[in-house]
């Protein structure tokens, strides 16, 4: 069966299914790259039907495939709806892969000692659930458990075959399904963890595969940047010392000298850091860091502490393993050893130039409560290339937002990739379905938030919301502006109002859908991944062009690097990034061919600045 014939066959299984020209075009391109190898970037707007277009040729190829998404709702759609449907046409095995921490650890649960009556009750509930659940997945536990940090599985502490519960282990039973699957669904965070392990040890978490398909690929760079971003603060050291002191009296005695030194050195160091670098965020190079000597003392003490824990484990592990009631304790000690090593590695990477991987950005953050040292890759290109992409014969990256006007150069530069590109036309009739309004409102210059501006913003949002009878999603770029606007809106509108931070994202969306006339105010996470088809969402209000925060250390370093290379940071980085996010925001409105509504951009710079047309 050809991919095109497979697609046509779906008419038998899906009432009203129509094969769209853009979908056929994407299907042919995916089939080509899967057969011949290479990289394909496809911009496929909502409504194209991209899932079938990339999944069908992968299934027919007979090659093991990994599909990665950014958001959980797309994962669920794949595993619960799309892939079961395709498996009715042609049988193949598929599975959903999640990281360690999503699964219950039976050893940790049985070894957990409650300290309060509530913990006794909660442990009893979890023990009952452990006997009833088929997968041990935190997603199937309701309500969520406050003890999950204590009883969730952990890769660094896991005893693997030495665990008495290994044969019943939820995580390793899930892994068996992964390795038996023809097609594996993961998320970007797990891909990044897989790449990290691959760079460190030469093999990843996931089964070897020939095809990698990255859906929601616009979010891949940020997911990898987050995975390789690390920070340490005074609180990190407080928790570390406290946990070791509470772990094992013999270990605490052996590590007494190092723990006492950390209790003295760490608070003094972070107090000096706050005094020396009082600004909210400040980029630092290793050569100009004023507290190098103090940081090296901390690092030296951490190395000694790690050696003490490792020596303790080498000597005591056989005894702890032999004593059934002590195995959970062994897991905690191993986790602690990994934590000490991780904190030391972060501190070392702050102090020394990177020997391998992407160039690093280092910065300090200070507030009244604490100071932090942070390290992140300038671009996670090396981690992406060497840790992930190089391991696959065919790679497909797709999203509704990968290009700016059909130009893929921005995303190619960010990810460090080349390959075939394809920008598909939307199947939606935007000219008929959407009315776009651009308001001549001038946002204030950076840091100069005026009462007049917030008042004008609130008035316009109130007028739009009242005129549409609610059903409005209002997207902000700044938390303070959201809070100030929300306060004024509550005095102006009688419609139900929902604000980010009041409840979880999923709870807010559920209430928004149910109300049908609500006004929902959201920040960054509401610009994408929101799927509210039908009349419950009939207006998207974008308060400002979503330019990156200029003092973000990584953003600042990228702009600086582009200038050093003689390139144009605004047109090559800042503007494309904002344009792609604006497309994401706009894309919240029209989710089906029958949706209609309004998009309001409350930023007159679209009309008055030279970059507005682009």
């Amino acid at each position: 069966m050809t991919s095109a014939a497979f697609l046509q066959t779906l008419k038998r299984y899906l009432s009203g299914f129509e094969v769209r020209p853009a979908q056929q075009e994407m299907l042919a391109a995916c089939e080509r790259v899967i057969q011949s190898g290479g990289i394909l970037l496809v911009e496929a707007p909502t409504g194209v039907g991209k899932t079938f277009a990339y999944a069908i040729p992968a299934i027919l190829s007979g090659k093991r495939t990994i599909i990665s998404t950014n958001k959980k709702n797309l994962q669920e759609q794949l595993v619960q709806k799309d892939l079961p449907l395709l498996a009715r046409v042609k049988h193949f095995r598929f599975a959903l892969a999640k990281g360690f921490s999503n699964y219950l650890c039976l050893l940790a649960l049985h070894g957990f000692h409650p300290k309060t009556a509530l913990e006794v009750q909660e442990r009893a509930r979890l023990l009952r659930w452990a006997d009833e659940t088929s997968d041990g997945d935190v997603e199937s536990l309701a309500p969520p458990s406050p003890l999950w940090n204590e009883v969730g599985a952990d890769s660094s502490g896991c005893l693997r075959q030495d665990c008495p519960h290994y044969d019943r282990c939820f995580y390793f039973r899930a892994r068996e399904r992964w390795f038996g699957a023809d097609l594996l669904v993961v998320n970007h965070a797990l891909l990044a963890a897989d790449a990290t392990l691959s760079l460190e040890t030469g093999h990843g978490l996931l089964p070897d595969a020939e095809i990698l398909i990255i859906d929601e690929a616009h979010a891949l760079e940020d997911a990898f940047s987050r995975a390789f971003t690390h920070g340490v603060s005074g609180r990190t050291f407080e928790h570390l010392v406290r946990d070791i002191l509470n772990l094992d009296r013999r270990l605490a005695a052996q590590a007494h000298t190092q723990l006492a030194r950390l209790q003295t050195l760490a608070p003094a160091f972070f107090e000096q850091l706050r005094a020396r670098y009082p600004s909210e965020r400040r980029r630092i190079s290793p050569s100009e860091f004023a507290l190098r000597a103090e940081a090296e003392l901390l690092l030296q003490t951490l190395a000694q502490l790690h050696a003490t824990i490792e020596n303790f484990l080498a000597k005591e592990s056989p005894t702890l393993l032999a004593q059934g009631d002590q195995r959970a304790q062994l897991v905690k000690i191993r986790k602690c050893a990994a934590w000490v090593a991780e904190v030391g590695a972060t501190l070392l990477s702050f102090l020394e130039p990177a020997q391998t991987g992407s160039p690093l950005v280092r910065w300090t953050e200070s507030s009244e409560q604490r100071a932090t040292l942070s390290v992140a890759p300038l671009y996670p290109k090396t981690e992406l290339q060497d840790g992930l992409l190089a391991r696959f014969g065919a790679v497909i990256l797709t999203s509704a937002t990968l290009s700016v006007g059909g130009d893929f150069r921005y995303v190619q530069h960010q990810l460090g990739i080349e390959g075939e590109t394809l920008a598909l036309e939307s199947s939606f009739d935007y000219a008929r379905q959407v009315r776009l309004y651009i308001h001549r409102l001038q946002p204030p210059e950076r840091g100069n938030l005026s009462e007049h501006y917030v008042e004008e913003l609130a008035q316009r949002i109130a007028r739009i919301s009242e005129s549409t009878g609610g059903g409005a999603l209002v997207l902000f770029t700044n938390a303070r502006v959201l809070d100030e606007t929300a306060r004024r809106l509550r005095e102006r509108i009688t419609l139900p109002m929902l604000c980010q931070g009041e409840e979880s994202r999923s709870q807010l969306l559920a209430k928004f859908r149910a109300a049908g006339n609500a006004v929902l105010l959201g920040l960054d996470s509401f610009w994408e991944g929101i799927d509210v088809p039908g009349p419950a969402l009939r207006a998207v209000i974008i308060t400002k062009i979503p330019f990156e925060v200029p003092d973000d250390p990584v953003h600042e370093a990228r702009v600086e690097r582009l200038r050093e290379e003689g390139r144009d940071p605004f047109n090559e980085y800042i503007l494309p990034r904002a344009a792609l996010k604006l497309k994401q925001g706009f894309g919240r409105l029209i989710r089906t061919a029958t949706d209609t509504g309004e998009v309001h951009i409350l930023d007159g710079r679209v009309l008055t600045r030279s970059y507005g047309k682009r």
Side-chain angles (χ1 to χ4, degrees):
M1 185 189 301
T2 66
S3 294
F6 193 140
L7 190 63
Q8 292 290 345
T9 304
L10 294 179
K11 291 179 181 178
R12 286 190 233 153
Y13 297 88
L14 277 176
S15 176
F17 177 73
E18 291 182 10
V19 177
R20 303 150 193 162
Q23 189 177 39
Q24 289 177 309
E25 192 178 353
M26 180 174 175
L27 183 92
C30 291
E31 189 169 47
R32 194 163 57 246
V33 78
I34 284 170
Q35 289 173 352
S36 60
I39 294 177
L40 170 68
L41 295 97
V42 186
E43 182 169 78
T46 305
V48 163
K50 65 180 184 297
T51 302
F52 293 160
Y54 62 61
I56 287 171
I59 292 163
L60 292 178
S61 73
K63 300 173 181 177
R64 179 178 275 158
T65 300
I66 293 175
I67 299 176
S68 182
T69 75
N70 188 45
K71 298 290 182 186
K72 190 170 67 177
N73 57 353
L74 180 53
Q75 266 193 341
E76 289 172 351
Q77 181 186 316
L78 278 164
V79 174
Q80 296 172 15
K81 183 181 173 186
D82 294 339
L83 296 180
L85 173 66
L86 297 177
R88 291 172 64 189
V89 181
K90 185 183 189 306
H91 174 72
F92 66 97
R93 296 164 299 175
F94 61 90
L96 174 63
K98 296 183 177 184
F100 260 96
S101 61
N102 290 278
Y103 297 94
L104 177 69
C105 173
L106 292 167
L107 182 62
L109 175 59
H110 284 280
F112 177 73
H113 299 293
K115 297 180 180 66
T116 66
L118 285 175
E119 287 186 350
V120 170
Q121 290 177 2
E122 183 59 21
R123 181 177 182 271
R125 180 175 81 99
L126 289 170
L127 285 167
R128 287 194 300 273
W129 178 68
D131 288 334
E132 296 162 0
T133 178
S134 61
D135 56 15
D137 188 333
V138 67
E139 289 291 327
S140 60
L141 175 63
S145 174
L147 298 183
W148 194 261
N149 285 341
E150 298 289 339
V151 301
D154 180 271
S155 60
S156 56
C158 181
L159 300 181
R160 291 167 171 80
Q161 285 90 341
D162 290 329
C163 177
H165 302 281
Y166 180 75
D167 291 339
R168 291 181 57 216
C169 176
F170 295 114
Y171 174 76
F172 283 101
R173 275 161 53 184
R175 272 180 69 86
E176 284 180 19
R177 293 192 291 274
W178 306 355
F179 280 79
D182 304 304
L183 191 152
L184 196 62
V185 178
V186 306
N187 64 18
H188 295 354
L190 188 57
L191 266 194
D194 177 72
T196 304
L197 189 63
S198 178
L199 288 170
E200 291 173 356
T201 66
H203 57 84
L205 288 165
L206 302 172
D208 290 336
E210 296 167 86
I211 302 166
L212 174 64
I213 299 169
I214 301 170
D215 205 336
E216 299 179 307
H218 64 277
L220 184 65
E221 181 209 339
D222 284 346
F224 267 68
S225 290
R226 280 194 301 273
F228 289 91
T229 298
H230 303 286
V232 292
S233 67
R235 198 169 296 167
T236 308
F237 282 89
E238 281 175 32
H239 292 171
L240 192 61
V241 170
R242 183 196 64 202
D243 283 8
I244 295 171
L245 286 171
N246 292 333
L247 267 178
D248 186 292
R249 281 179 295 177
R250 293 169 302 163
L251 174 59
Q254 290 176 28
H256 173 76
T257 303
Q258 292 106 39
L259 293 173
R261 288 190 77 194
L262 286 180
Q263 284 177 311
T264 303
L265 291 172
F269 173 76
F270 285 100
E271 193 57 48
Q272 285 177 283
L273 186 69
R274 188 164 42 242
R276 182 69 181 78
Y277 300 105
S279 57
E280 200 168 299
R281 282 187 287 198
R282 174 169 171 177
R283 252 186 333 128
I284 302 284
S285 71
S287 58
E288 68 181 20
F289 186 47
L291 302 175
R292 170 174 284 276
E294 293 84 348
E296 285 175 345
L297 268 176
L298 265 181
L299 188 58
Q300 183 183 36
T301 308
L302 281 170
Q304 292 167 352
L305 176 61
H306 187 257
T308 299
I309 300 173
E310 288 295 330
N311 289 337
F312 180 85
L313 284 169
K315 184 180 176 183
E316 301 294 338
S317 286
T319 306
L320 293 170
L321 272 172
Q323 298 172 346
D325 61 340
Q326 291 298 305
R327 286 172 181 160
Q329 190 73 353
L330 176 58
V331 168
K332 291 181 179 179
I333 297 169
R334 286 167 58 136
K335 282 168 66 174
C336 224
W339 190 12
V340 172
E342 184 184 317
V343 172
T346 300
L347 203 51
L348 180 63
S349 63
F350 191 91
L351 295 174
E352 301 297 335
Q355 301 300 312
T356 58
S358 301
L360 294 176
V361 181
R362 302 161 177 87
W363 69 95
T364 63
E365 287 185 60
S366 292
S367 66
E368 288 183 12
Q369 287 77 34
R370 62 175 177 171
T372 307
L373 295 177
S374 298
V375 183
L378 178 64
Y379 299 104
K381 294 179 182 179
T382 304
E383 291 76 11
L384 262 167
Q385 283 290 338
D386 299 345
L388 182 68
L389 301 182
R391 293 154 49 197
F392 296 87
V395 178
I396 297 167
L397 299 101
T398 185
S399 168
T401 52
L402 279 184
S403 79
V404 180
D407 185 344
F408 288 81
R409 282 177 296 177
Y410 165 76
V411 74
Q412 287 175 313
H413 176 263
Q414 296 301 104
L415 299 178
I417 60 173
E418 294 182 358
E420 182 185 347
T421 62
L422 174 64
L424 298 168
E425 292 292 321
S426 174
S427 59
F428 296 146
D429 184 356
Y430 285 114
R432 179 185 60 81
Q433 292 178 256
V434 188
R435 183 166 288 174
L436 172 66
Y437 298 86
I438 301 172
H439 295 238
R440 293 184 181 274
L441 181 61
Q442 187 64 32
E445 295 300 319
R446 174 184 162 195
N448 298 321
L449 185 61
S450 68
E451 288 284 318
H452 173 75
Y453 170 71
V454 178
E455 183 67 23
E456 182 68 21
L457 204 60
Q459 283 181 16
R460 290 181 188 244
I461 294 168
R463 282 202 301 270
I464 296 163
S465 301
E466 295 288 1
S467 73
T468 61
L473 172 64
V474 191
L475 299 173
F476 289 82
T477 62
N478 180 286
R480 185 182 159 206
V481 177
L482 185 152
D483 291 340
E484 291 289 328
T485 306
R487 186 167 58 80
R488 287 169 170 79
L489 274 177
R490 290 188 198 282
E491 300 167 359
R492 284 189 166 83
I493 63 174
T494 56
L495 299 161
M497 206 170 100
L498 305 164
C499 285
Q500 183 169 348
E502 293 175 345
E503 294 180 87
S504 72
R505 183 173 181 263
S506 58
Q507 287 170 324
L508 288 172
L509 282 172
K511 285 188 174 181
F512 183 71
R513 288 189 187 98
N517 66 338
V519 179
L520 172 57
L521 280 59
L523 287 160
D524 192 63
S525 65
F526 284 82
W527 284 74
E528 60 176 274
I530 303 296
D531 192 19
V532 186
L537 176 54
R538 47 193 176 271
V540 170
I541 304 170
I542 295 170
T543 56
K544 191 178 177 185
I545 299 171
F547 287 120
E548 199 83 22
V549 179
D551 63 352
D552 176 83
V554 175
H555 172 81
E556 194 178 70
R558 288 175 175 181
V559 168
E560 194 175 283
R561 175 62 63 92
L562 287 166
R563 284 202 187 103
E564 289 169 358
E565 293 171 353
R567 298 168 65 179
D568 179 353
F570 184 78
N571 283 301
E572 293 186 39
Y573 172 67
I574 296 171
L575 185 59
R577 198 170 178 88
L580 288 170
K581 188 157 185 177
L582 192 66
K583 283 172 76 171
Q584 282 287 340
F586 181 95
R588 296 315 93 213
L589 182 66
I590 303 299
R591 310 304 295 173
T592 72
T594 57
D595 287 344
T596 59
E598 304 174 359
V599 175
H600 293 257
I601 300 176
L602 310 185
D603 192 331
R605 291 175 296 177
V606 177
L607 299 170
T608 60
R609 298 293 176 91
S610 58
Y611 57 75
K613 187 173 182 181
R614 188 174 170 199

